Amino acid sequence: RILSISISIFSKAKQNKAMKSATNGRSHGGIECDAEHEPEEKEWTLIFKLKIICFACLIWIAITSFAPAPVGLLKPSSEIADTEWSDGCTDGLSYCLCPRETVCCDNLRSMIFLGISRSSAYFPYPLYMMLFLSKANNLMTALQGSVLSVWIQFPELHHVHTLAGSIAAVDAFVHAFFHLLRWGLRNDDIKLLWETQTGRSGLIALCITPLITWPMLFPRLKKKMTFEWRKGLHMLSIVWGIALCFHAPEMQIFWLMGVPVVIYLLDAITGLYFHTWRIESTLFFRLDSGSAMQFTNPPGFELKGASYVLVLLPWISKYQWHAFSIFPHPTEPNTSSLCMAAVGDWTKTLNKSIIRPTVRPAWIMGPYLSPFATAIEFDNIIALATGIGITPALALIKLYSDTRRINLVWMCRDASLLEFFLSTVEFPRDAFTLIYYTGKKTLSLPPELPESVFLFKGRPDLERVVTGIVHSIESEDCLPEEIVQSGRVMSSVPPLTRFRIGLRRLMDIYTATDIFDLCVELSEGSPNSDPARQTSTRNCEGNQGSAMASLNRRGSNRSSVSLRFSKHRSSRNLGESDQQFSKLGLQMAMREFHGHSFLSEECIDVIFEAMDTNKDGWIDQREFLSCISMVNEEDDEDWSESEDVEAADKKPVTVGRRTSWLLLGDNEEMEAPDLSKSTTRSGTGRSSGGKSSNSTSRSRTVAEQRRLFGTGKKQASDVGDESKDFVRNSREIIKTWQMLYCGGSAPVVNNLKNIHDEYGIDLKIEKFDW
């Protein structure tokens, strides 16, 4: 009955999922995507394989318990009456079972209760074994490099562990309840609970089960308990495993549970003595919402893939080991880094104790495999992260960007974290790097950001972004490397065009009022100008590397600039005062934003003359707004050097507004080199699955890419729908793609799971939620 009920529930769930998918398909332009495609091959994940093994165990225990002897335990009533524990079968039964005192069932009610209790115990026994094997981290990391990894997804074992723990929390009470009910209703068999080895071992396991599992299952209880208590109680699982070894001596459970427990203990000892490192000089420094640490790799310590380590800081706590993703330092060789969000007691204490950058000792255990290690099985990766969850994605970029496309989608509100990584990480040029800043603090950006980075203000539409990335790369339409190459010819374009494109970059993240105010502040002779600031800025003109004096990474002078990252315009609108700026103010502002080499003095002369329509030597609000309106025109009309800002050519310049500070242009309009549409890194095996750029009705422009990946509500829906349809109809191609997410945002996880269900893109999630 249990087996039939389980199959029925599974079938209904599968039907509901199919109906949901069909509904989603009809909601996209009337396309019933599931009805049009052949049935997909079942994904034989490790958890699915374990479910099959568990059902096999259920069938085995049902047969060996209720089949006639010698296969099972059922015997005629006359043979049962010969035992010392029963007088024979009752309730009109011809057959019953009574092999030993603890499993004596001579009536129908006892046999039903035994069936339930035995099924609830033997069905999850494979999962109980995996409870311990899944946490043999050193063994699992070693086996990942063997051929066994072809059939067993070792990085998924943490999910197996949590699943098995959840089942054990319920199963232990179901199993005990029906055994106690059977014993209590049959004579005085309840004494077996304390008189037999089976009863005593079961009672020990039952009593400690809630202590082990409940603090991890119930968030409210978890928040009220300190880490030390949760971890200490969780280690009672060793006692729980040993108790199960002696629970059913006649069924060989001693070996079934004893071997995994011994393997776990030996693995823990091996990790403690052979894979634990004392780092005497570990550098710690503070971030807005957490802390970071870096250290030189000790001899024998090697990162072979996306990994995590356990960290012990004796000067914070001598008993707490915490798991964090580890990644190679972007610029320092043989150096590893970790970032730790201040969300728990331990990490908050660490953050408060780092008053300034400090060098302290640390103990590191590992490294161990993380779910991101499965990236090696795919040639196109979309690594998604929120906040400090970017660290495993950085490991992928460092380790695999030479052979795979590692696309990054990062949502971050921590200004210092974003500034740190933008200043140190070399992002790949042949993959999309999309950063969505959701914080309120002013960003202090480096003089020249990586040319492959798109920086947006606000939150992304993840479905549109993910499908857009897949579509662009698989159709080879507006590839990332083509965008980068297009930007390299910026120096050859007319100064007015270069200025317009640069101004469009600023408009993605600053308001027109912000830009105008800075130009006024830096203008010589303006009542709002700051002479000291002008002098400081002019002193930097001869130094190429420090052209952004007030926008340096440390932000030492950033407070003097009232530039606000905000979705809304500032409280003062242009046109409310008679402020104006000079040619010097324009020149200094452009150099603060884009660096000294952005525009020469001769270019500034041409630009200023075009903007100054009344030729009085000053730019007022009306003239500046005329410039801004030209920048924001939908058709992107180009400017001619010989015409003023209110005139425009009819020639379109399809340039995307983005805040990467890279000056991009469409490769046709900017006369970029003719890049082959089949441009891929040699040896990666990446292809478009027989599809080319001709698979779309037209070539996508960089401006459309900006609308596709942007955050506003007015994004081009036609571009997004085109990408969604492309991905939905490319099931074979999607098998080469994987989404990897690290972070603690439940809405993001839900969105990604919906994308996985809708489009079939593989998804792995990493989260250390101790």
Side-chain angles (χ1 to χ4, degrees), residues 378-381 403-405 430 469-477 479 481 677-693 695 726 730-737:
F378 300 83
D379 65 351
N380 288 288
I381 310 298
T403 58
R404 291 165 174 78
R405 289 190 191 269
D430 68 339
I469 291 174
V470 176
H471 183 198
S472 293
I473 292 177
E474 290 296 349
S475 65
E476 299 178 356
D477 188 7
L479 289 168
E481 54 264 40
K677 283 295 181 181
S678 61
T679 301
T680 57
R681 185 184 294 106
S682 61
T684 61
R686 290 191 295 263
S687 66
S688 58
K691 299 183 181 292
S692 66
S693 57
S695 62
F726 176 89
S730 305
R731 296 289 180 171
E732 289 300 318
I733 293 176
I734 294 307
K735 292 180 180 180
T736 67
W737 283 80

Side-chain angles (χ1 to χ4, degrees), residues 446-649:
E448 295 183 6
L449 290 185
E451 55 188 6
S452 59
V453 174
F454 287 74
L455 178 62
F456 298 96
K457 180 67 174 74
R459 301 183 184 279
D461 182 331
L462 287 177
E463 182 181 11
R464 192 176 65 217
V465 168
V466 170
T467 55
I469 291 174
V470 176
H471 183 198
S472 293
I473 292 177
E474 290 296 349
S475 65
E476 299 178 356
D477 188 7
C478 204
L479 289 168
E481 54 264 40
E482 294 175 350
I483 297 176
V484 171
Q485 185 64 27
S486 300
R488 291 175 180 172
V489 301
M490 192 57 204
S491 58
S492 63
V493 304
L496 283 176
T497 305
R498 194 186 315 171
F499 169 73
R500 177 183 59 80
I501 298 172
L503 191 59
R504 293 193 70 171
R505 306 301 173 269
L506 302 181
M507 291 297 296
D508 264 345
I509 202 164
Y510 297 125
T511 66
T513 303
D514 294 330
I515 301 171
F516 184 83
D517 286 346
L518 181 61
C519 293
V520 171
E521 181 182 346
L522 296 176
S523 295
E524 193 173 72
S526 170
N528 295 90
S529 63
D530 184 350
R533 172 98 183 239
Q534 296 169 15
T535 302
S536 172
T537 307
R538 276 194 291 266
N539 289 338
C540 295
E541 293 181 14
N543 190 345
Q544 194 93 341
S546 58
M548 296 177 64
S550 63
L551 292 176
N552 60 74
R553 185 163 65 90
R554 298 294 182 185
S556 57
N557 195 30
R558 184 60 175 158
S559 60
S560 64
V561 187
S562 59
L563 296 179
R564 299 165 295 279
F565 280 78
S566 173
K567 292 181 181 178
H568 309 287
R569 299 180 64 85
S570 57
S571 59
R572 180 184 68 77
N573 294 320
L574 285 176
E576 294 180 359
S577 68
D578 57 355
Q579 290 182 320
Q580 52 190 4
F581 61 83
S582 65
K583 184 189 300 183
L584 176 65
L586 177 64
Q587 180 182 9
M588 294 298 102
M590 290 299 102
R591 289 181 177 179
E592 286 218 15
F593 285 122
H594 295 299
H596 178 76
S597 61
F598 175 60
L599 291 169
S600 65
E601 292 188 10
E602 291 77 11
C603 293
I604 291 292
D605 291 340
V606 175
I607 294 167
F608 192 84
E609 182 179 354
M611 295 177 64
D612 186 14
T613 56
N614 59 12
K615 307 304 179 184
D616 63 350
W618 293 88
I619 304 299
D620 57 20
Q621 290 94 335
R622 183 191 64 81
E623 293 169 321
F624 186 72
L625 281 176
S626 177
C627 171
I628 294 297
S629 63
M630 187 67 67
V631 168
N632 287 329
E633 281 187 1
E634 187 69 23
D635 293 334
D636 291 329
E637 292 182 338
D638 198 5
W639 294 354
S640 172
E641 290 190 43
S642 60
E643 296 174 331
D644 61 36
V645 294
E646 295 182 353
D649 286 330

Side-chain angles (χ1 to χ4, degrees), residues 76-347:
S77 178
S78 58
E79 294 186 22
I80 297 297
D82 292 337
T83 65
E84 57 180 304
W85 310 294
S86 175
D87 296 329
C89 302
T90 60
D91 296 338
L93 297 176
S94 301
Y95 285 82
C96 56
L97 57 91
C98 192
R100 52 188 174 274
E101 186 177 15
T102 56
V103 191
C104 191
C105 302
D106 50 14
N107 58 65
L108 180 62
R109 182 176 55 192
S110 295
M111 293 182 64
I112 293 175
F113 292 161
L114 179 67
I116 296 175
S117 61
R118 277 205 151 191
S119 298
S120 63
Y122 285 87
F123 173 81
Y125 256 119
L127 295 177
Y128 292 168
M129 298 169 65
M130 292 304 300
L131 274 173
F132 296 93
L133 293 176
S134 62
K135 288 304 171 181
N137 294 320
N138 298 281
L139 176 61
M140 298 301 107
T141 300
L143 291 178
Q144 177 63 17
S146 70
V147 72
L148 289 177
S149 61
V150 175
W151 299 282
I152 302 176
Q153 294 82 20
F154 292 102
E156 290 185 8
L157 290 180
H158 177 71
H159 302 293
V160 174
H161 181 82
T162 56
L163 172 65
S166 302
I167 292 176
V170 177
D171 177 74
F173 287 94
V174 173
H175 176 75
F177 175 78
F178 283 99
H179 264 315
L180 294 176
L181 186 61
R182 181 173 61 84
W183 286 348
L185 294 176
R186 187 180 181 276
N187 302 327
D188 59 346
D189 283 357
I190 193 65
K191 65 181 180 180
L192 299 176
L193 181 62
W194 56 84
E195 290 185 352
T196 62
Q197 175 181 314
T198 297
R200 291 191 296 268
S201 59
L203 182 61
I204 293 173
L206 179 66
C207 291
I208 63 178
T209 294
L211 300 178
I212 300 169
T213 59
W214 289 6
M216 306 305 298
L217 286 176
F218 303 111
R220 185 172 298 180
L221 182 60
K222 179 179 177 180
K223 290 181 179 179
K224 291 183 178 181
M225 298 181 66
T226 62
F227 176 86
E228 291 92 337
W229 275 100
R230 293 200 310 271
K231 185 67 174 180
L233 291 175
H234 209 68
M235 294 307 295
L236 288 175
S237 58
I238 299 175
V239 179
W240 183 85
I242 295 175
L244 290 189
C245 292
F246 298 95
H247 185 56
E250 300 295 330
M251 300 298 294
Q252 307 299 322
I253 299 303
F254 177 85
W255 299 105
L256 290 177
M257 290 302 302
V259 171
V261 171
V262 171
I263 290 176
Y264 170 77
L265 292 175
L266 292 177
D267 185 87
I269 295 172
T270 300
L272 188 63
Y273 285 97
F274 298 103
H275 291 146
T276 301
W277 322 87
R278 185 175 190 268
I279 313 298
E280 296 181 355
S281 299
T282 307
L283 175 63
F284 295 86
F285 53 94
R286 200 176 196 174
L287 302 170
D288 284 348
S289 59
S291 310
M293 58 178 284
Q294 66 184 58
F295 58 89
T296 301
N297 296 336
F301 186 90
E302 182 181 2
L303 295 179
K304 296 182 179 179
S307 309
Y308 71 94
V309 294
L310 301 176
V311 179
L312 171 68
L313 302 180
W315 42 282
I316 299 295
S317 174
K318 297 180 179 180
Y319 307 102
Q320 296 190 32
W321 291 87
H322 290 267
F324 297 101
S325 296
I326 187 170
F327 61 98
H329 192 276
T331 58
E332 298 292 334
N334 196 37
T335 302
S336 297
S337 300
L338 294 87
C339 291
M340 299 162 280
V343 293
D345 297 336
W346 188 87
T347 49

Side-chain angles (χ1 to χ4, degrees), residues 3 50-62 122-123:
L3 179 61
L50 285 173
K51 289 179 181 178
I52 294 178
I53 297 175
C54 289
F55 273 106
C57 292
L58 178 63
I59 295 173
W60 176 81
I61 195 62
Y122 285 87
F123 173 81

